[in-house]
């Protein structure tokens, strides 16, 4: 199993957490509150967090026997477009995050696959993969501007909300046109 070198992460990066002030004794915890810029491509096709937008991190780092458990919430803005009517969506998102980061050369580091548990690089934790997973999984794949969005008229492309109630593109076959006169007289 490849080991990570501490030089891989930049401790000045906003999504890298430094745990040097967190004693390696189970049960010890520290809280971190910070605002960080959102990384690029944090979203799905129709909706996501704009690159550079402020993400509020309210985290708790807790020493456990095999590493550091990071848990807390991430809140920030999301922008996109409605999957039915293509109107702009401007909303916010709050997701919980919880990830165990194993100490280098710990039993967990030796007994788990590389992608099962997060890995610490020296005293540093790269929070971006866990943050990305939590945010992207919380986003809808088909976002709506509102729950009852009627969408667009498939024939003319105008928003159903902007059309009169009797809007129709129904074309009657001229061979059957005289039959429509029969139904109108009965009404």
């Amino acid at each position: 199993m490849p080991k990570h070198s501490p030089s891989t992460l930049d401790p000045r990066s906003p999504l890298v957490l430094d745990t040097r002030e967190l004693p390696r004794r189970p049960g010890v915890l520290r809280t971190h509150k910070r605002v960080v810029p959102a990384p690029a491509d944090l979203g799905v096709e129709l909706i996501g967090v704009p690159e550079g937008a402020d993400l509020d991190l309210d985290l708790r780092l807790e020493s456990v026997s095999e590493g550091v458990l990071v848990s807390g919430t991430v809140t920030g803005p999301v922008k996109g477009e409605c999957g039915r009517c293509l109107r702009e969506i401007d909303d916010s998102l709050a997701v919980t995050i919880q990830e165990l980061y194993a100490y280098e050369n710990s039993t967990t580091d030796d007994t788990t696959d590389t992608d099962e548990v997060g890995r610490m690089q020296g005293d540093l934790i790269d929070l971006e993969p866990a943050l990305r997973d939590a945010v992207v999984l919380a986003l809808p794949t088909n976002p709506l501007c509102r729950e009852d969005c009627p969408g667009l008229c498939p024939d003319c492309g105008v928003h159903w909300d902007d059309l009169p109630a009797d809007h129709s593109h129904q074309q009657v076959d001229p061979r059957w046109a005289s039959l429509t006169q029969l139904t109108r007289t009965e009404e």
Side-chain angles (χ1 to χ4, degrees):
M1 177 185 320
K3 300 294 179 193
H4 303 283
S5 70
S7 62
T8 318
L9 290 177
D10 180 1
R12 295 170 293 172
S13 176
L15 290 173
V16 172
L17 304 174
D18 190 344
T19 63
R20 282 183 289 190
E21 294 181 16
L22 181 67
R24 291 189 177 198
R25 287 191 320 263
V28 177
L29 65 96
R30 300 285 186 261
T31 59
H32 283 282
K33 291 185 183 208
R34 63 168 77 164
V35 177
V36 300
D41 300 321
L42 187 57
V44 292
E45 188 176 348
L46 292 176
I47 194 164
V49 178
E51 183 177 356
D54 287 344
L55 292 176
D56 292 314
L57 305 180
D58 187 3
L59 304 174
R60 190 175 118 163
L61 281 62
E62 182 176 358
S63 282
V64 294
S65 59
E66 294 297 318
V68 175
L69 179 65
V70 177
S71 56
T73 58
V74 177
T75 56
V78 291
K79 291 190 182 288
E81 60 184 28
C82 179
R84 289 186 189 157
C85 72
L86 305 177
R87 286 193 170 135
E88 186 176 314
I89 296 175
D90 194 2
D91 204 357
S92 63
L93 174 76
V95 295
T96 58
I97 189 170
Q98 185 169 26
E99 184 80 20
L100 173 65
Y101 293 89
Y103 294 130
E104 287 183 318
N105 303 317
S106 69
T107 305
T108 302
D109 195 26
D110 294 334
T111 60
T112 59
D113 290 334
T114 307
D115 58 348
E116 276 185 86
V117 175
R119 308 289 189 214
M120 291 183 64
Q121 295 180 22
D123 290 321
L124 302 177
I125 293 174
D126 184 7
L127 191 62
E128 185 174 345
L131 176 132
R132 187 173 294 282
D133 287 349
V135 170
V136 170
L137 288 174
L139 292 172
T141 54
N142 189 23
L144 299 177
C145 59
R146 64 178 206 262
E147 197 61 37
D148 63 342
C149 175
L152 303 172
C153 172
D155 292 317
C156 64
V158 176
H159 292 271
W160 279 113
D161 288 339
D162 299 337
L163 294 170
D166 62 346
H167 177 73
S168 173
H169 292 279
Q170 182 178 3
Q171 295 180 356
V172 178
D173 186 328
R175 295 172 292 179
W176 300 97
S178 60
L179 291 177
T180 59
Q181 301 302 323
L182 292 173
T183 58
R184 288 189 189 144
T185 57
E186 292 176 9
E187 292 174 0

